[in-house]
Amino acid sequence: MQSQHFRQVVGEYFLQAGIITFLAAILIHLILSKKILYPLNRLSDDSNMLNKNGNAIMVNSKDEVGQIADRMKHLSRRQNQMMDGLAHELRTPLTTLNGYLEGLESGVFEQSQSVYALLRKECVQLTDVVENMHDLQAWKDSHIDNQWIEIKHTVASAVLLFQDRFDELNIDVDMQVESKTVYCDPKAVQAILAHLFDNVIRYDVGKKVVIKGKQVNHHFKVSVSNQGRDIPEEVQDQLFDPFFRVEASRNRRTGGSGLGLAIVKEIVKKLNGKVGFYSEHDFYTFCFFIPESKESNKEV
């Protein structure tokens, strides 16, 4: 009798414990579901809003979901900046071309060498933008052909291609590159330097460019330094953004598409490296770091 009563009491305890455990599980499930699903739902709403009008809803989460939301908003801002930049780069020369062509057609402007020169300049500007946009996408999709190269020779070859332009502008070249064999794509390195040298040619005021190369830990650092036109400190972290302008009017005078440094960043990224920029007064240095070997390339 006592044994039967004991089993009954124990059974009731187990039943109560089971009910309590079941209810607790439901409660915990609801709490965790709300904690996980709420920011995900907000993130979904955020995505839908971005698709409609580009305005994002704030997700006030500091976990992985919040990080994804922040990344989405950052990418959205970058996309909007690129579209605005592209629209500006195309609008200005097209407006000029359209105005002058209408003027020539209506007789407002007379045909002259100066008018034709201006029209050609605007056509070159458009071509430059289109070609650099193609180059940027091409490097995004390209396959890097890494091989063992003597980096000093590769840099010297890149300098040689620009030597006539440097001489024409009386820009002295000071090359201080260490001899080092690195595992890299030589065409990629030369393309990077071509865009950096083009920047020097467009904006140099000091009549001297210093090119340095040295080993830093398991990477090789190449830097291009010169005295250039003023770059305010507050915009220096945007220099590698597509279509970024320190001054919009400056670019119209000196040419260029505003994509050169963006292409540099993309190529260095394909090489598993990093880009950098620093300044001392009006002496500016653009640099990049690339892995020196197969092993360090895999570690990045």
PDB file of all heavy atoms in Angstrom, residues 112-136:
ATOM      1  N   SER A 112      35.328  76.184 -85.865  1.00  0.00           N
ATOM      2  CA  SER A 112      36.706  76.639 -85.673  1.00  0.00           C
ATOM      3  C   SER A 112      37.512  75.537 -85.002  1.00  0.00           C
ATOM      4  O   SER A 112      36.948  74.598 -84.415  1.00  0.00           O
ATOM      5  CB  SER A 112      36.746  77.899 -84.813  1.00  0.00           C
ATOM      6  OG  SER A 112      36.304  77.614 -83.498  1.00  0.00           O
ATOM      7  N   GLN A 113      38.817  75.664 -85.083  1.00  0.00           N
ATOM      8  CA  GLN A 113      39.693  74.670 -84.460  1.00  0.00           C
ATOM      9  C   GLN A 113      39.510  74.627 -82.948  1.00  0.00           C
ATOM     10  O   GLN A 113      39.595  73.565 -82.334  1.00  0.00           O
ATOM     11  CB  GLN A 113      41.153  74.981 -84.806  1.00  0.00           C
ATOM     12  CG  GLN A 113      41.514  74.739 -86.264  1.00  0.00           C
ATOM     13  CD  GLN A 113      41.341  73.291 -86.674  1.00  0.00           C
ATOM     14  OE1 GLN A 113      41.664  72.381 -85.910  1.00  0.00           O
ATOM     15  NE2 GLN A 113      40.837  73.076 -87.876  1.00  0.00           N
ATOM     16  N   SER A 114      39.254  75.783 -82.324  1.00  0.00           N
ATOM     17  CA  SER A 114      39.092  75.827 -80.872  1.00  0.00           C
ATOM     18  C   SER A 114      37.832  75.083 -80.433  1.00  0.00           C
ATOM     19  O   SER A 114      37.823  74.390 -79.404  1.00  0.00           O
ATOM     20  CB  SER A 114      39.043  77.279 -80.392  1.00  0.00           C
ATOM     21  OG  SER A 114      37.954  77.970 -80.982  1.00  0.00           O
ATOM     22  N   VAL A 115      36.763  75.222 -81.208  1.00  0.00           N
ATOM     23  CA  VAL A 115      35.513  74.513 -80.875  1.00  0.00           C
ATOM     24  C   VAL A 115      35.717  73.012 -81.031  1.00  0.00           C
ATOM     25  O   VAL A 115      35.320  72.214 -80.174  1.00  0.00           O
ATOM     26  CB  VAL A 115      34.352  75.001 -81.768  1.00  0.00           C
ATOM     27  CG1 VAL A 115      33.122  74.109 -81.578  1.00  0.00           C
ATOM     28  CG2 VAL A 115      34.008  76.438 -81.447  1.00  0.00           C
ATOM     29  N   TYR A 116      36.371  72.604 -82.123  1.00  0.00           N
ATOM     30  CA  TYR A 116      36.621  71.188 -82.348  1.00  0.00           C
ATOM     31  C   TYR A 116      37.536  70.613 -81.254  1.00  0.00           C
ATOM     32  O   TYR A 116      37.358  69.471 -80.815  1.00  0.00           O
ATOM     33  CB  TYR A 116      37.254  70.973 -83.719  1.00  0.00           C
ATOM     34  CG  TYR A 116      36.316  71.264 -84.871  1.00  0.00           C
ATOM     35  CD1 TYR A 116      36.776  71.851 -86.040  1.00  0.00           C
ATOM     36  CD2 TYR A 116      34.958  70.952 -84.775  1.00  0.00           C
ATOM     37  CE1 TYR A 116      35.924  72.120 -87.096  1.00  0.00           C
ATOM     38  CE2 TYR A 116      34.094  71.222 -85.823  1.00  0.00           C
ATOM     39  CZ  TYR A 116      34.565  71.803 -86.983  1.00  0.00           C
ATOM     40  OH  TYR A 116      33.717  72.070 -88.015  1.00  0.00           O
ATOM     41  N   ALA A 117      38.497  71.404 -80.824  1.00  0.00           N
ATOM     42  CA  ALA A 117      39.404  70.949 -79.760  1.00  0.00           C
ATOM     43  C   ALA A 117      38.644  70.734 -78.457  1.00  0.00           C
ATOM     44  O   ALA A 117      38.901  69.762 -77.725  1.00  0.00           O
ATOM     45  CB  ALA A 117      40.524  71.968 -79.562  1.00  0.00           C
ATOM     46  N   LEU A 118      37.706  71.648 -78.171  1.00  0.00           N
ATOM     47  CA  LEU A 118      36.910  71.504 -76.954  1.00  0.00           C
ATOM     48  C   LEU A 118      36.022  70.267 -77.028  1.00  0.00           C
ATOM     49  O   LEU A 118      35.916  69.499 -76.051  1.00  0.00           O
ATOM     50  CB  LEU A 118      36.046  72.758 -76.746  1.00  0.00           C
ATOM     51  CG  LEU A 118      35.092  72.725 -75.543  1.00  0.00           C
ATOM     52  CD1 LEU A 118      35.873  72.581 -74.246  1.00  0.00           C
ATOM     53  CD2 LEU A 118      34.231  73.981 -75.503  1.00  0.00           C
ATOM     54  N   LEU A 119      35.387  70.046 -78.175  1.00  0.00           N
ATOM     55  CA  LEU A 119      34.534  68.868 -78.343  1.00  0.00           C
ATOM     56  C   LEU A 119      35.348  67.583 -78.218  1.00  0.00           C
ATOM     57  O   LEU A 119      34.898  66.607 -77.597  1.00  0.00           O
ATOM     58  CB  LEU A 119      33.843  68.922 -79.709  1.00  0.00           C
ATOM     59  CG  LEU A 119      32.824  70.059 -79.913  1.00  0.00           C
ATOM     60  CD1 LEU A 119      32.258  70.012 -81.327  1.00  0.00           C
ATOM     61  CD2 LEU A 119      31.699  69.979 -78.895  1.00  0.00           C
ATOM     62  N   ARG A 120      36.533  67.586 -78.784  1.00  0.00           N
ATOM     63  CA  ARG A 120      37.384  66.404 -78.679  1.00  0.00           C
ATOM     64  C   ARG A 120      37.791  66.154 -77.228  1.00  0.00           C
ATOM     65  O   ARG A 120      37.841  65.001 -76.772  1.00  0.00           O
ATOM     66  CB  ARG A 120      38.637  66.570 -79.543  1.00  0.00           C
ATOM     67  CG  ARG A 120      39.517  65.328 -79.560  1.00  0.00           C
ATOM     68  CD  ARG A 120      40.740  65.500 -80.442  1.00  0.00           C
ATOM     69  NE  ARG A 120      41.517  64.277 -80.486  1.00  0.00           N
ATOM     70  CZ  ARG A 120      42.353  63.872 -79.527  1.00  0.00           C
ATOM     71  NH1 ARG A 120      42.518  64.631 -78.436  1.00  0.00           N
ATOM     72  NH2 ARG A 120      43.017  62.740 -79.644  1.00  0.00           N
ATOM     73  N   LYS A 121      38.093  67.217 -76.498  1.00  0.00           N
ATOM     74  CA  LYS A 121      38.469  67.077 -75.088  1.00  0.00           C
ATOM     75  C   LYS A 121      37.358  66.425 -74.282  1.00  0.00           C
ATOM     76  O   LYS A 121      37.607  65.554 -73.442  1.00  0.00           O
ATOM     77  CB  LYS A 121      38.811  68.457 -74.498  1.00  0.00           C
ATOM     78  CG  LYS A 121      39.197  68.409 -73.030  1.00  0.00           C
ATOM     79  CD  LYS A 121      39.486  69.803 -72.485  1.00  0.00           C
ATOM     80  CE  LYS A 121      39.809  69.757 -70.996  1.00  0.00           C
ATOM     81  NZ  LYS A 121      40.048  71.116 -70.449  1.00  0.00           N
ATOM     82  N   GLU A 122      36.117  66.836 -74.540  1.00  0.00           N
ATOM     83  CA  GLU A 122      34.991  66.256 -73.815  1.00  0.00           C
ATOM     84  C   GLU A 122      34.779  64.798 -74.213  1.00  0.00           C
ATOM     85  O   GLU A 122      34.423  63.962 -73.373  1.00  0.00           O
ATOM     86  CB  GLU A 122      33.716  67.060 -74.090  1.00  0.00           C
ATOM     87  CG  GLU A 122      33.770  68.493 -73.587  1.00  0.00           C
ATOM     88  CD  GLU A 122      34.017  68.587 -72.095  1.00  0.00           C
ATOM     89  OE1 GLU A 122      33.601  67.673 -71.351  1.00  0.00           O
ATOM     90  OE2 GLU A 122      34.657  69.565 -71.657  1.00  0.00           O
ATOM     91  N   CYS A 123      35.016  64.468 -75.494  1.00  0.00           N
ATOM     92  CA  CYS A 123      34.912  63.077 -75.935  1.00  0.00           C
ATOM     93  C   CYS A 123      35.973  62.209 -75.257  1.00  0.00           C
ATOM     94  O   CYS A 123      35.705  61.069 -74.857  1.00  0.00           O
ATOM     95  CB  CYS A 123      35.057  62.998 -77.457  1.00  0.00           C
ATOM     96  SG  CYS A 123      33.627  63.617 -78.373  1.00  0.00           S
ATOM     97  N   VAL A 124      37.186  62.754 -75.129  1.00  0.00           N
ATOM     98  CA  VAL A 124      38.262  62.027 -74.455  1.00  0.00           C
ATOM     99  C   VAL A 124      37.895  61.783 -72.993  1.00  0.00           C
ATOM    100  O   VAL A 124      38.150  60.702 -72.440  1.00  0.00           O
ATOM    101  CB  VAL A 124      39.585  62.813 -74.559  1.00  0.00           C
ATOM    102  CG1 VAL A 124      40.649  62.202 -73.645  1.00  0.00           C
ATOM    103  CG2 VAL A 124      40.084  62.822 -75.999  1.00  0.00           C
ATOM    104  N   GLN A 125      37.278  62.790 -72.368  1.00  0.00           N
ATOM    105  CA  GLN A 125      36.859  62.654 -70.977  1.00  0.00           C
ATOM    106  C   GLN A 125      35.843  61.521 -70.821  1.00  0.00           C
ATOM    107  O   GLN A 125      35.938  60.698 -69.903  1.00  0.00           O
ATOM    108  CB  GLN A 125      36.244  63.976 -70.484  1.00  0.00           C
ATOM    109  CG  GLN A 125      35.816  63.981 -69.022  1.00  0.00           C
ATOM    110  CD  GLN A 125      36.984  64.106 -68.074  1.00  0.00           C
ATOM    111  OE1 GLN A 125      38.106  64.394 -68.497  1.00  0.00           O
ATOM    112  NE2 GLN A 125      36.739  63.882 -66.799  1.00  0.00           N
ATOM    113  N   LEU A 126      34.876  61.469 -71.716  1.00  0.00           N
ATOM    114  CA  LEU A 126      33.878  60.401 -71.680  1.00  0.00           C
ATOM    115  C   LEU A 126      34.531  59.039 -71.896  1.00  0.00           C
ATOM    116  O   LEU A 126      34.218  58.069 -71.196  1.00  0.00           O
ATOM    117  CB  LEU A 126      32.815  60.639 -72.759  1.00  0.00           C
ATOM    118  CG  LEU A 126      31.707  61.637 -72.442  1.00  0.00           C
ATOM    119  CD1 LEU A 126      30.852  61.879 -73.681  1.00  0.00           C
ATOM    120  CD2 LEU A 126      30.835  61.130 -71.305  1.00  0.00           C
ATOM    121  N   THR A 127      35.423  58.976 -72.863  1.00  0.00           N
ATOM    122  CA  THR A 127      36.112  57.716 -73.151  1.00  0.00           C
ATOM    123  C   THR A 127      36.925  57.254 -71.953  1.00  0.00           C
ATOM    124  O   THR A 127      36.956  56.058 -71.620  1.00  0.00           O
ATOM    125  CB  THR A 127      37.040  57.878 -74.373  1.00  0.00           C
ATOM    126  OG1 THR A 127      36.268  58.320 -75.492  1.00  0.00           O
ATOM    127  CG2 THR A 127      37.723  56.567 -74.715  1.00  0.00           C
ATOM    128  N   ASP A 128      37.569  58.192 -71.280  1.00  0.00           N
ATOM    129  CA  ASP A 128      38.378  57.888 -70.099  1.00  0.00           C
ATOM    130  C   ASP A 128      37.520  57.269 -69.005  1.00  0.00           C
ATOM    131  O   ASP A 128      37.902  56.287 -68.364  1.00  0.00           O
ATOM    132  CB  ASP A 128      39.057  59.166 -69.599  1.00  0.00           C
ATOM    133  CG  ASP A 128      40.195  58.862 -68.630  1.00  0.00           C
ATOM    134  OD1 ASP A 128      40.774  57.770 -68.723  1.00  0.00           O
ATOM    135  OD2 ASP A 128      40.486  59.722 -67.776  1.00  0.00           O
ATOM    136  N   VAL A 129      36.343  57.852 -68.772  1.00  0.00           N
ATOM    137  CA  VAL A 129      35.435  57.325 -67.748  1.00  0.00           C
ATOM    138  C   VAL A 129      35.003  55.908 -68.094  1.00  0.00           C
ATOM    139  O   VAL A 129      35.052  54.990 -67.255  1.00  0.00           O
ATOM    140  CB  VAL A 129      34.194  58.234 -67.599  1.00  0.00           C
ATOM    141  CG1 VAL A 129      33.165  57.585 -66.669  1.00  0.00           C
ATOM    142  CG2 VAL A 129      34.593  59.597 -67.063  1.00  0.00           C
ATOM    143  N   VAL A 130      34.567  55.703 -69.336  1.00  0.00           N
ATOM    144  CA  VAL A 130      34.078  54.389 -69.757  1.00  0.00           C
ATOM    145  C   VAL A 130      35.185  53.337 -69.683  1.00  0.00           C
ATOM    146  O   VAL A 130      34.973  52.217 -69.192  1.00  0.00           O
ATOM    147  CB  VAL A 130      33.497  54.469 -71.187  1.00  0.00           C
ATOM    148  CG1 VAL A 130      33.132  53.073 -71.688  1.00  0.00           C
ATOM    149  CG2 VAL A 130      32.269  55.370 -71.215  1.00  0.00           C
ATOM    150  N   GLU A 131      36.377  53.688 -70.158  1.00  0.00           N
ATOM    151  CA  GLU A 131      37.485  52.729 -70.139  1.00  0.00           C
ATOM    152  C   GLU A 131      37.895  52.361 -68.721  1.00  0.00           C
ATOM    153  O   GLU A 131      38.187  51.188 -68.429  1.00  0.00           O
ATOM    154  CB  GLU A 131      38.681  53.294 -70.904  1.00  0.00           C
ATOM    155  CG  GLU A 131      38.480  53.335 -72.410  1.00  0.00           C
ATOM    156  CD  GLU A 131      39.703  53.856 -73.141  1.00  0.00           C
ATOM    157  OE1 GLU A 131      40.609  54.392 -72.450  1.00  0.00           O
ATOM    158  OE2 GLU A 131      39.750  53.736 -74.376  1.00  0.00           O
ATOM    159  N   ASN A 132      37.906  53.338 -67.828  1.00  0.00           N
ATOM    160  CA  ASN A 132      38.276  53.044 -66.437  1.00  0.00           C
ATOM    161  C   ASN A 132      37.203  52.241 -65.724  1.00  0.00           C
ATOM    162  O   ASN A 132      37.521  51.394 -64.881  1.00  0.00           O
ATOM    163  CB  ASN A 132      38.571  54.336 -65.680  1.00  0.00           C
ATOM    164  CG  ASN A 132      39.990  54.822 -65.897  1.00  0.00           C
ATOM    165  OD1 ASN A 132      40.931  54.363 -65.268  1.00  0.00           O
ATOM    166  ND2 ASN A 132      40.140  55.770 -66.822  1.00  0.00           N
ATOM    167  N   MET A 133      35.928  52.494 -66.054  1.00  0.00           N
ATOM    168  CA  MET A 133      34.863  51.657 -65.495  1.00  0.00           C
ATOM    169  C   MET A 133      35.030  50.217 -65.964  1.00  0.00           C
ATOM    170  O   MET A 133      34.850  49.267 -65.179  1.00  0.00           O
ATOM    171  CB  MET A 133      33.496  52.195 -65.926  1.00  0.00           C
ATOM    172  CG  MET A 133      33.077  53.477 -65.228  1.00  0.00           C
ATOM    173  SD  MET A 133      31.476  54.063 -65.834  1.00  0.00           S
ATOM    174  CE  MET A 133      30.434  52.660 -65.422  1.00  0.00           C
ATOM    175  N   HIS A 134      35.388  50.044 -67.230  1.00  0.00           N
ATOM    176  CA  HIS A 134      35.632  48.703 -67.756  1.00  0.00           C
ATOM    177  C   HIS A 134      36.824  48.060 -67.051  1.00  0.00           C
ATOM    178  O   HIS A 134      36.782  46.867 -66.688  1.00  0.00           O
ATOM    179  CB  HIS A 134      35.889  48.781 -69.260  1.00  0.00           C
ATOM    180  CG  HIS A 134      36.239  47.450 -69.876  1.00  0.00           C
ATOM    181  ND1 HIS A 134      37.539  47.023 -70.016  1.00  0.00           N
ATOM    182  CD2 HIS A 134      35.453  46.456 -70.361  1.00  0.00           C
ATOM    183  CE1 HIS A 134      37.547  45.814 -70.560  1.00  0.00           C
ATOM    184  NE2 HIS A 134      36.301  45.456 -70.789  1.00  0.00           N
ATOM    185  N   ASP A 135      37.894  48.822 -66.849  1.00  0.00           N
ATOM    186  CA  ASP A 135      39.080  48.294 -66.172  1.00  0.00           C
ATOM    187  C   ASP A 135      38.759  47.867 -64.744  1.00  0.00           C
ATOM    188  O   ASP A 135      39.230  46.822 -64.271  1.00  0.00           O
ATOM    189  CB  ASP A 135      40.199  49.335 -66.160  1.00  0.00           C
ATOM    190  CG  ASP A 135      40.829  49.536 -67.527  1.00  0.00           C
ATOM    191  OD1 ASP A 135      40.582  48.699 -68.409  1.00  0.00           O
ATOM    192  OD2 ASP A 135      41.542  50.542 -67.709  1.00  0.00           O
ATOM    193  N   LEU A 136      37.966  48.694 -64.049  1.00  0.00           N
ATOM    194  CA  LEU A 136      37.597  48.371 -62.665  1.00  0.00           C
ATOM    195  C   LEU A 136      36.856  47.048 -62.605  1.00  0.00           C
ATOM    196  O   LEU A 136      37.162  46.185 -61.771  1.00  0.00           O
ATOM    197  CB  LEU A 136      36.737  49.497 -62.081  1.00  0.00           C
ATOM    198  CG  LEU A 136      36.261  49.316 -60.626  1.00  0.00           C
ATOM    199  CD1 LEU A 136      37.445  49.202 -59.682  1.00  0.00           C
ATOM    200  CD2 LEU A 136      35.373  50.490 -60.211  1.00  0.00           C
TER     201      LEU A 136
END
